[in-house]
């Protein structure tokens, strides 16, 4: 008898122009405010506004926060590591895009 495990993946389409508060971002990516604050201080997320009460996050920040949450919770990567991993993933995506544009991929 074989058992198959499936993981439900949900996709949320968000307009880039959307502005989320800290509370809204935490709810949308299912992450505690402490995680999000650490990601802001590590440079993983760059909200507008000076204080956590004034922070506003874009749709792109939501995508990045969801990736950060996955790395932090499921992969047990600390806040500094999350920043490094996401920067490397961004670099890989940029290089793949350049290869595709050059017709090498």
């Amino acid at each position: 008898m074989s058992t198959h495990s499936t993981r439900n993946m949900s996709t949320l389409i968000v307009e880039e122009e959307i502005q989320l508060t800290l509370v809204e971002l935490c709810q949308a990516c299912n992450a505690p405010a402490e995680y999000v604050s650490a990601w802001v201080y590590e440079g993983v997320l760059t909200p507008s506004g000076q204080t956590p009460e004034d922070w506003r996050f874009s749709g792109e920040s939501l995508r990045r926060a969801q990736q950060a949450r996955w790395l932090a919770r499921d992969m047990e990567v600390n806040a500094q590591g999350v920043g490094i991993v996401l920067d490397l993933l961004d670099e890989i995506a940029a290089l793949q895009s350049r290869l595709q544009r050059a017709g090498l991929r």
Side-chain angles (χ1 to χ4, degrees):
M1 180 164 121
S2 69
T3 342
H4 294 287
S5 173
T6 59
R7 182 177 175 190
N8 286 336
M9 299 290 288
S10 63
T11 304
L12 179 63
I13 299 173
V14 178
E15 293 183 30
E16 291 296 318
E17 297 81 29
I18 194 168
Q19 294 292 302
L20 301 168
T21 65
L22 175 60
V23 171
E24 291 168 337
L25 182 73
C26 290
Q27 290 172 346
C29 71
N30 195 25
E34 298 79 30
Y35 280 31
V36 174
S37 294
W39 299 332
V40 168
Y41 294 121
E42 288 297 330
V44 173
L45 302 173
T46 52
S48 60
Q50 300 299 315
T51 65
E53 296 79 22
D54 296 328
W55 286 347
R56 296 297 178 266
F57 297 90
S58 67
E60 175 61 23
S61 291
L62 173 57
R63 181 195 63 79
R64 198 160 169 89
Q66 288 171 326
Q67 290 177 316
R69 188 215 27 94
W70 178 77
L71 287 167
R73 185 175 302 154
D74 297 351
M75 304 303 291
E76 299 181 2
V77 177
N78 67 19
Q80 289 176 321
V82 166
I84 292 168
V85 171
L86 290 179
D87 287 347
L88 290 172
L89 289 173
D90 289 345
E91 185 68 24
I92 290 168
L95 291 170
Q96 287 174 334
S97 178
R98 286 178 59 193
L99 285 172
Q100 190 171 16
R101 283 194 310 271
L104 300 172
R105 180 159 196 238

